[in-house]
Amino acid sequence: MALRELSSLEKYLGLKKANKYSTQGDKKVPVLQNNNGPPLVGLGTIASHLVKEAKRPNLLGDSAENRAVVQQWLEYRVTKLDGCTKEDTKAILKDLNLYLQDKVYMAETSSP
C-alpha cells in the first residue's frame, strides 16, 4: 500500500523521474535508495523527501505548528493503518471521518 501511495505522491508533485522503491522487513517498510547518501526508510521520511525534492515545502507546513500537525498525520497513517486488514482499515477511516467532522481544515488540489 505504501509504495502505491508514494507513486501517487510523485505523480501529484509532478516529479518527472520515477524513484525506485523496495521494502524491508515483515511489515514491508518502504525504502528509497538515495543517490546522494544512505537509503531513506519509512513512509513519512520518503514523503517529506519527495515534497522537498519537488520544491513544495508549503505542503509540509508553513510554521512549526503546521509542520508538527503534518508529521502527526503521517505518523497516524503509519501507526494506525499499516498491517491492518481491509475491514480494520475501513473502521479506522470511519473513526477518522467522525473525528474530522467538526474540524476546519484546508486542502489544495492542483494539476501538474
Side-chain angles (χ1 to χ4, degrees):
M1 181 155 84
L3 298 182
R4 284 186 305 197
E5 291 171 293
L6 291 169
S7 293
S8 294
L9 179 59
E10 283 183 347
K11 187 175 179 181
Y12 170 77
L13 294 170
L15 295 172
K16 303 290 185 222
K17 180 190 77 163
N19 287 294
K20 300 231 187 270
Y21 301 102
S22 60
T23 59
Q24 72 180 25
D26 294 338
K27 295 193 180 221
K28 301 203 180 294
V29 176
V31 177
L32 169 63
Q33 181 58 51
N34 187 358
N35 292 333
N36 301 330
L40 301 176
V41 179
L43 180 69
T45 301
I46 297 170
S48 295
H49 169 77
L50 294 176
V51 168
K52 289 175 185 173
E53 189 176 81
K55 297 180 177 32
R56 304 274 305 272
N58 58 313
L59 295 176
L60 296 175
D62 55 3
S63 69
E65 182 180 359
N66 288 343
R67 284 187 293 277
V69 169
V70 169
Q71 284 303 119
Q72 179 181 349
W73 284 114
L74 286 171
E75 186 175 333
Y76 179 88
R77 160 39 194 104
V78 170
T79 59
K80 294 292 185 183
L81 294 178
D82 276 1
C84 287
T85 65
K86 192 172 185 177
E87 294 78 29
D88 289 341
T89 299
K90 286 180 182 181
I92 290 168
L93 293 176
K94 184 177 180 180
D95 289 344
L96 178 59
N97 279 337
L98 287 173
Y99 171 78
L100 292 173
Q101 230 171 14
D102 63 347
K103 307 294 184 267
V104 176
Y105 60 93
M106 296 181 68
E108 174 187 345
T109 60
S110 65
S111 54

